[in-house]
Structures are given as C-alpha cells and as structure tokens.
Amino acid sequence: MTAAAAARLILRNLLEVMASREPPQDKLDRVVRIVAENLDSEVCSLYLLRDGMLELFATRGLNQSAVHVTRMAVGEGLTGTIAESGETLNLAQARAHVNFQYRPETGEDKFHSFAGVPVIHRERTVGVLCVQHVDPRRYEDVEIEALQTTAMVLSELIASAGFVDGEEAAGAERHAAPEVLGGLVLVKGLASGQVVFHQPRVTIHQLVAEDVEAERQRVYRAFARMREQIEQMTSQVEFGTGGEHDEVLETYKMFAYDEGWSRRINEAIDSGLTAEAAIERVQQRTRMRMREIDDPLLADRMHDLEDLSNRLLRIVSGQLGTAATQGLRQDTILVARNLGPAELLEYDRRRLKGVVLEEGSLTAHVVIVARAMSIPVIGRLGGMRGRVADGDEILLDGNKGTVTLRPSPAMREAFEVKNAAYRERQASYALLRDVEPFTRDGTRIEVMMNAGLRDDISNLALTGADGIGLFRTEFQFLVSATLPQRERQTRLYRDVLDAAGDKPVVFRTVDIGGDKAVPYLRSDALRDEENPALGWRALRLALERDGLLKVQARALLDAAAGRTLNVMFPMVSEPWEFDAARAVFEEQLAHIRARRRRLPEAVRYGVMLEVPALAEVLDQLLPRIAFISVGTNDLTQFLFAADRANPKLAERYDWLSPAILRFLARVVGSMRGYPVDLTVCGEMGGRRLEALALLGLGITRLSITPAAIGPVKELVRKVNLTELQPQMQRWLADPPKDMRTALGAWALAHDIEAE
Ligand code: PEP
Ligand code: MG
C-alpha cells in the first residue's frame, strides 16, 4: 500500500472515530491503534499537553501502565523537543539524539528508531504523535507525510473533544505574554482595542475529503482563478488594488506558477484531505521552514507565499471578504501587511481605532487617508501577523511608535495615564481654535487644512483652519465603484464650499495613478509601465482623458457659481500643461456663459509644484498663475529618486535634509516680486519641526492634516521669525552635520517643543 493510500485509510477510520459516541479515552486508544496498524508501526503514542506538561495519553506498543503516568516538560526528551520547536524529528537511532531521555516505565528500551510530529491546533502545539520501531531505520518522507496529515486531523479531534484548550498549548505562553514591539510612526495618536485581521483567517469546516477527485478539481479551479487575479494585478500595477509593490507581485507570480507548491497540495489531497485542509497543511509546513530562515530577504518571500496561500484558501473556501465587510468589533485595531487607500476607506471609521501595517511609508496614500480619518497608524512591523491572534488586546502608541500586545494591567494603566495626558494636550490645542496664529514678531501665518472626504468638512469648524488649502478630489473617485457622475461631483464640491463659507478652498483636479487605485479606469497605456509613479498619472492622464477633466471642470464651475473658485493642477512639469488644463476650464466657462447660467465670481488658477523640473521654469509660469502649492510628498520622491510608497525607503531621506531645504529656499527666492501665493501642502508641513523649518525659509502658508492644525498653531505662536530666519540662512549656506538635531536643539533653546 502506498503512503498516500495508508493516510487515506487512516483518515477514513479517524473520521469514524470522530463521529462515534465512545468515551474520549477509548477514542484516543483507537486512534493510536489505527495509526500503528496502517503505518505498520510497532509503537504509536500520543502525548498531549496538560497543565503545561506533556502527558502520555494513549499508546499502542508501550506499557499501558505508563498512560497518564509518563509526563515530561516541554523541551524535555525527544517528545518535549518536538513540542517546543514545533518541528518533526526522524531518527534511526533515538538514543543518539542529545535530548534523548529514557523512561523505564514505558518499556521503550527495545525500540531504536523514532519519528514524531507536533500536533498543532491554531498555530499552537498541543501535543506530539510519535511512532517507534525496533529496527534502527529512518522513516521515509511519505511515512512522515502520512504522520503529519494524521496529526493535523487529530488536532481537530483533540480540540473538539476538549482534551486540551487553547490556553494550555505549548508556545501559548509566548503568545499570551505581553510583548512590546517598535515600528515607524505613520500617523500619530493613541488607540487601544482588539486585533482584527484585514484578511480574516479562513475557517476550515471539513478536513477529510469525501471525494478526492472532486477536491483536486476544486484546487485546480482555485489555482486558475488565483493566477488570473495575479495576472490582472500585474497588468494594472498602476492601479494595483492592494497597494502591492512590483516586487511582491513578481514573487506572487513566481509562486502562483510554482509546480512544487501545487504538487505538494495535490499530494496532501491524495492523502485524503479536503482542498482547504491540504492548502493549510502545506502552509503549516512552510511556516515551520520560515522559522528556520535567518535571511530577511528570504523570509520576506516566504511571507509572500503565505499571503498567496491565504488567497488560495479564500478562493477555494469562498470566504472572500475583508474584515470591513464582516461586522467590525467596537474598538478595532486593524492588522494588515499593507492596504490600498480604497480598502481602508471601506472601514467604518467609528469602529476603526488604529491600524498596524507590516509595511507602509509616510507618504503612501493609504497613510494620507488614515491621517485624514485621524486614525493612528504604525508601520514597518514585519511579521506582526504571526505574533498576534484575532481578538488579542493591543495598545497602539502612535507617538512613540510602539504597539503593546496583550498588555498586563500595569501596562494598561500606564497607557491610560498617557492617553489622558494626550487628550489633555489635544484639548489645549482645541482652545486655539479661534486664535489667529501670529508669530511672536507679528507675522500672520495661514494654517489651512488638507481634505478630500465629505466627512472632513466638519474639521474646518473643529480646528479653526484658515481654509482648505488642498482638497484632493480624487478621494471621491477612489471610494466609488464607478466613475462619479457630474452631478455627484457638483454636489460634493458645493457642500464643501457651503461649509467653508468665507474661507478659501483650493480644489485640486483628479490626481489618480501611482498608488491611488481606480479599478474602473483601466487603459492599455498603463499595462507596460515600469515606473508608475513617473508614469501616466495625474494631469498627464487627465489631459488625454480630457472627457474626465471636462466633466470635473464643469462640476467645479457649477458648484462655485457666484463665488470664487480656486483650482489647482497636480504634477505640472512644464508650463504648457498648465495652459492646456486651464483651456479645458475656459472652454467650460464659455459654455456656461453661452447658456446664460450663473458663473463663478472669479476663477483663480494655480499649480502644484511637485515635479522638480517646474522649479527651473517658474519665471515662465508665474505671470500666468495666482498660486503655487508645493507638494513635498512627490517632490521628495522625485528629488531623491525614492519611491514614496516603498517601505524600504521609508526612513531613508529626511525632510530636513539640506537638499530639500535649499530647493525650497530657491523656490521662495524665485517667487519674490510676483503676486503669487505660495503654500506647502505636503505631509512635511504637518510635523512641528518641519513646519518650523518652513517658517525659517520664509513660507507663511501651510496646508496640513487637520490633526496637526492645533500643534502647528501653537508652534507658530512661539516662533520669532527675526531670530529663526537668519539662523536658517546660515544653516543653508553651511549645513550642520545633522539638520534635524541642530534645529531640534535650536527649538529647545527657544522653548519650543519639537514634537
Ligand atoms: C504631494 O505630493 O505632496 C501632495 C500634497 O499630493 P499627494 O500626496 O496627493 O500626491
Ligand atoms: Mg502629489
């Protein structure tokens, strides 16, 4: 009989045992007998964890008097070693192993060979299943395979019969103990709640196959579907739905077509498992291998395989939704490898309290959206998903960049104290709502806010911002399943203008592409892009798809009837692009005029300065525009040639680097004498030390995330520009070794808190 056939027989018999009404002990006695007989083994024993100790629960071949008598600690003897490491042992000579221990009461001295596998339930070892022979022989791979498959099915039997509970599992201690992990602060703030996986774990209802051929067909179909999905994602890298990175997609592709992987799943099906159980079984093995890998690059790739395996599992089981669609917990802390902005927007923001990402970078759009939603985010916590379980309590300190898993009461208490202080500080910022931000020497700084969602509008009144310096119109496109109709666009823009009253609002025309996914706007032109961030995006796309820009122009002009419209074009690289975009608006204006409909009182045109080339030709453009807004997010990515969404580069370049500051100083200089407003609207301006540097460069208008308005206003009121600006000039001429340290020290000396 082949090993697969043996395993199938074992599983079929186990199924019978599971279904029978025998007392639990009798069931286990039958289990070891079935395994021993079918694997032709002289001994088969099952050890289970009880009160933290491994106890012999059933045996066929060892002395029956040892049952419930022989006990050993996790880590002790061969069985303890397997429980501790979660790995299989296959030994021709058991006594040759360093951890071998002899237990006389079992009568095992005559057996030489030994093979044991962990019994794992919900990623925790709950016991050990082993076989022994008199002959010193190494077990064949197929035998080990059969043993492992048996252990997997057995784990369900053991758990459902209540022999062990989750808390008793080996390694549970590691998982239950508090743990503090450090990551990168992406959005500030504090939050506590329970872990929810963005991609929920698939529940496997049936482990043993009734029809092996049918299961094989299910896996074939799932593989085909998964490959289709990967192909689709690769062909739309520009608009990748999960924020996946090229490299990850490449690896997905490699694994999706990897014959070894599909073969192993097929073998597991051969041994009698259902498609779901077979995928899970192979994944378990991968996880074990992952633990042994020291190379971070390889470990990353193994995570990719794990992701893909989960995808396959979701497809085959039909459990497709993300946590957003499955009834969210009250205080959810979302845990994901990465997210796309549209995916985050699907969540109920009243229940979503925080986000932890294994990847993530400061200026990725998902992070900008989270910032707009005032949801703290910590990123760069590699391997996070393996360290927590769904429902684990978690504290997220988005000021220090730490997460505390399963906190002790003392930790919880300390966190509450910190949270209270944080809230107090936030409340003190709220007091500044109606205070106009003047510097100590009397310069009025305009502190405006960035927005993009309808819900953001209320922040205008809450923060006392001077207006909306950047309204990202593409957010409406991101949250829609289809291209938003003109009427819907008009309604949103009108509501924003109504809420703003006398305060100015700067609408930026759609900026899609890069990491902003709009699945309904596909094009062949996007298929072959190697560098989407440098590709056909923002205004470049809008000018060619001018139907899209026309509709938006009309919607904006209609919404601003009788008022001033400030409209700004993203990613302008050369002045003609501005002219072309403006012409689209002028054409719509003429159209409205011809129909004798109400026009805006004035239309002010401006550009985003985010492509460095534009800075070199500003003199050409300045006479034609009313304002410029510097988008430091893209500007930094282009100045440093560093993908803003690439987590590996997240901490590499500092906004306070002399290169950026000198660049901005030059822009400020070239605008002197022109009646053109200059604003900085990238994420940089919302950080206190960075805002201080911008004031030092002579910038007096910032548009920032709502949560930063209070902190920046408070900072403005402490600054004396006549002291700061000459110092900044000196630093620009002769940069200190570390600008951040120098500026921080200067701030401290002037009684200004850096954070
Ligand atoms: C920027 O690039 O700095 C900017 C403000 O625009 P976005 O982040 O939407 O690209
Ligand atoms: Mg930009």
Side-chain angles (χ1 to χ4, degrees):
M1 186 166 35
T2 65
R8 266 205 306 273
L9 246 178
I10 294 174
L11 295 195
R12 213 159 285 293
N13 291 330
L14 284 185
L15 209 55
E16 237 172 69
V17 177
M18 282 180 188
S20 77
R21 290 169 172 266
E22 292 166 85
Q25 183 63 49
D26 293 2
K27 282 189 183 182
L28 291 188
D29 291 343
R30 264 180 73 191
V31 166
V32 288
R33 204 166 60 232
I34 290 168
V35 177
E37 279 167 7
N38 286 289
L39 288 185
D40 223 358
S41 168
E42 282 144 11
V43 174
C44 175
S45 312
L46 177 67
Y47 293 81
L48 295 181
L49 266 175
R50 175 141 72 178
D51 303 330
M53 297 288 281
L54 281 164
E55 182 174 314
L56 179 64
F57 259 69
T59 183
R60 152 84 189 247
L62 297 184
N63 294 338
Q64 287 304 317
S65 54
V67 172
H68 297 301
V69 171
T70 298
R71 286 163 64 89
M72 58 196 84
V74 173
E76 193 188 345
L78 297 180
T79 316
T81 304
I82 295 168
E84 188 179 54
S85 64
E87 279 155 33
T88 296
L89 279 183
N90 180 1
L91 308 167
Q93 258 314 345
R95 4 183 120 245
H97 192 280
V98 280
N99 286 354
F100 175 81
Q101 267 188 17
Y102 172 54
R103 291 300 173 97
E105 74 273 13
T106 59
E108 62 184 340
D109 48 333
K110 53 181 178 291
F111 302 106
H112 293 277
S113 55
F114 172 98
V117 298
V119 180
I120 296 171
H121 186 67
R122 301 222 172 97
E123 289 175 45
R124 290 166 189 181
T125 303
V126 294
V128 174
L129 177 69
C130 46
V131 288
Q132 289 170 277
H133 274 88
V134 173
D135 280 351
R137 70 181 190 87
R138 251 180 88 81
Y139 293 85
E140 311 225 348
D141 285 354
V142 280
E143 290 174 296
I144 297 288
E145 185 75 40
L147 204 58
Q148 287 170 336
T149 305
T150 309
M152 183 175 175
V153 175
L154 201 51
S155 76
E156 286 304 314
L157 172 70
I158 288 164
S160 62
F163 286 115
V164 289
D165 61 43
E167 303 314 309
E168 277 194 44
E173 214 179 328
R174 175 168 54 87
H175 285 285
E179 214 177 336
V180 182
L181 308 172
L184 179 69
V185 178
L186 297 178
V187 180
K188 281 186 163 192
L190 296 167
S192 60
Q194 271 109 44
V195 167
V196 171
F197 289 108
H198 170 59
Q199 306 278 19
R201 268 189 86 81
V202 170
T203 334
I204 301 178
H205 299 291
Q206 198 186 336
L207 291 161
V208 181
E210 276 166 14
D211 177 348
V212 169
E213 201 41 48
E215 296 302 319
R216 204 191 306 285
Q217 289 308 320
R218 290 180 66 218
V219 160
Y220 277 144
R221 281 197 297 275
F223 258 100
R225 177 94 192 83
M226 181 183 70
R227 286 172 186 158
E228 228 171 75
Q229 287 181 359
I230 309 283
E231 293 297 342
Q232 222 171 18
M233 278 197 266
T234 324
S235 66
Q236 309 157 16
V237 175
E238 171 91 355
F239 295 147
T241 52
E244 288 96 345
H245 204 254
D246 276 7
E247 199 184 335
V248 173
L249 280 178
E250 272 314 304
T251 320
Y252 277 3
K253 219 166 155 177
M254 188 183 89
F255 284 130
Y257 289 94
D258 178 49
E259 297 210 336
W261 186 32
S262 49
R263 195 193 58 239
R264 282 191 293 278
I265 293 176
N266 262 308
E267 283 166 2
I269 290 181
D270 267 345
S271 69
L273 294 177
T274 57
E276 286 89 343
I279 297 167
E280 173 67 21
R281 166 87 190 79
V282 173
Q283 195 170 344
Q284 259 182 20
R285 237 186 303 164
T286 314
R287 259 183 231 127
M288 275 173 203
R289 251 186 297 151
M290 242 163 78
R291 286 195 211 139
E292 295 162 18
I293 295 175
D294 219 8
D295 175 350
L297 266 180
L298 254 180
D300 264 1
R301 298 291 71 89
M302 285 308 195
H303 277 301
D304 294 338
L305 179 57
E306 170 116 12
D307 276 353
L308 212 55
S309 189
N310 281 329
R311 180 180 287 268
L312 193 63
L313 207 49
R314 284 198 303 277
I315 294 173
V316 90
S317 65
Q319 298 170 37
L320 293 171
T322 69
T325 57
Q326 301 183 1
L328 216 53
R329 286 174 209 276
Q330 191 57 42
D331 292 319
T332 289
I333 306 283
L334 197 64
V335 174
R337 177 180 181 154
N338 212 344
L339 286 173
E343 286 177 310
L344 179 64
L345 285 165
E346 269 180 21
Y347 281 89
D348 177 349
R349 62 199 286 187
R350 284 162 308 180
R351 289 171 183 257
L352 183 60
K353 300 294 189 247
V355 175
V356 181
L357 299 177
E358 292 186 347
E359 300 185 346
S361 66
L362 271 174
T363 55
H365 276 95
V366 60
V367 172
I368 292 176
V369 171
R371 206 169 283 131
M373 293 163 85
S374 297
I375 293 170
V377 183
I378 295 188
R380 308 287 293 139
L381 270 162
M384 175 73 183
R385 285 171 302 166
R387 307 183 89 106
V388 284
D390 188 70
D392 270 1
E393 192 183 346
I394 174 170
L395 309 175
L396 188 155
D397 186 339
N399 295 332
K400 258 176 49 193
T402 57
V403 294
T404 307
L405 311 177
R406 303 167 292 270
S408 65
M411 287 167 155
R412 212 175 292 134
E413 217 169 280
F415 186 81
E416 272 317 311
V417 171
K418 207 188 281 182
N419 206 356
Y422 181 69
R423 278 200 299 262
E424 210 171 286
R425 194 152 179 215
Q426 294 303 109
S428 77
Y429 294 142
L431 291 178
L432 293 175
R433 196 186 61 178
D434 300 319
V435 176
E436 285 194 54
F438 281 96
T439 61
R440 276 181 42 212
D441 47 346
T443 302
R444 172 72 160 87
I445 305 296
E446 277 188 55
V447 185
M448 295 187 284
M449 67 171 228
N450 294 344
L453 300 167
R454 181 180 293 276
D455 289 3
D456 293 341
I457 307 174
S458 57
N459 278 324
L460 203 51
L462 285 174
T463 59
D466 285 314
I468 298 179
L470 168 64
F471 190 88
R472 290 181 163 102
T473 59
E474 65 275 8
F475 280 10
Q476 188 185 26
F477 288 63
L478 285 179
V479 293
S480 309
T482 54
L483 199 70
Q485 298 298 310
R486 176 155 64 92
E487 290 70 26
R488 269 183 58 210
Q489 294 187 39
T490 311
R491 221 175 308 135
L492 173 66
Y493 306 151
R494 190 176 289 135
D495 290 350
V496 174
L497 287 169
D498 286 348
D502 293 338
K503 293 182 176 177
V505 179
V506 177
F507 289 99
R508 179 175 75 183
T509 57
V510 275
D511 180 3
I512 40 187
D515 59 344
K516 290 182 221 178
V518 188
Y520 48 83
L521 239 190
R522 285 180 203 143
S523 162
D524 286 344
L526 297 172
R527 298 248 150 98
D528 306 320
E529 291 206 316
E530 278 191 21
N531 296 302
L534 306 177
W536 193 55
R537 51 171 288 209
L539 191 61
R540 300 164 181 181
L541 180 152
L543 284 177
E544 270 178 60
R545 290 275 180 111
D546 72 340
L548 184 126
L549 194 59
K550 268 185 199 159
V551 169
Q552 186 170 36
R554 182 63 194 277
L556 284 166
L557 292 166
D558 280 345
R563 323 185 240 211
T564 298
L565 173 67
N566 295 293
V567 57
M568 172 159 80
F569 304 119
M571 287 278 290
V572 174
S573 316
E574 294 196 316
W576 72 265
E577 289 167 322
F578 167 78
D579 295 336
R582 182 193 162 121
V584 174
F585 274 71
E586 293 293 324
E587 191 186 284
Q588 291 303 310
L589 263 178
H591 190 70
I592 298 172
R593 200 174 289 120
R595 294 182 161 214
R596 297 180 177 284
R597 302 185 62 144
R598 199 155 172 229
L599 294 165
E601 208 166 68
V603 182
R604 297 176 78 235
Y605 295 101
V607 298
M608 294 277 296
L609 173 54
E610 49 190 346
V611 178
L614 192 67
E616 300 298 331
V617 286
L618 270 189
D619 56 322
Q620 306 292 300
L621 191 62
L622 285 167
R624 301 181 231 172
I625 56 176
F627 58 91
I628 283 185
S629 197
V630 183
T632 48
N633 304 338
D634 276 314
L635 183 65
T636 315
Q637 116 165 314
F638 298 137
L639 268 183
F640 283 111
D643 182 355
R644 65 192 266 186
N646 185 341
K648 288 203 196 84
L649 303 174
E651 293 147 274
R652 189 149 188 138
Y653 303 105
D654 194 336
W655 273 316
L656 293 179
S657 74
I660 296 176
L661 299 183
R662 280 184 176 173
F663 185 95
L664 294 175
R666 228 152 42 82
V667 171
V668 172
S670 29
M671 290 185 63
R672 231 164 255 138
Y674 289 93
V676 176
D677 296 340
L678 174 66
T679 307
V680 169
C681 68
E683 302 309 301
M684 174 181 179
R687 296 159 66 100
R688 280 168 62 102
L689 213 50
E690 280 79 346
L692 187 65
L694 294 173
L695 297 179
L697 294 172
I699 289 163
T700 56
R701 275 196 178 80
L702 300 174
S703 187
I704 57 184
T705 188
I709 303 261
V712 167
K713 269 186 168 186
E714 194 233 26
L715 171 110
V716 164
R717 286 159 48 83
K718 287 189 167 165
V719 177
N720 193 334
L721 291 180
T722 45
E723 287 170 3
L724 174 63
Q725 290 179 345
Q727 177 60 59
M728 184 53 84
Q729 288 310 317
R730 285 195 290 277
W731 279 328
L732 288 179
D734 182 14
K737 209 158 128 227
D738 180 355
M739 184 71 88
R740 183 167 292 279
T741 311
L743 190 60
W746 187 92
L748 202 66
H750 290 78
D751 201 23
I752 298 171
E753 283 173 65
E755 286 291 318

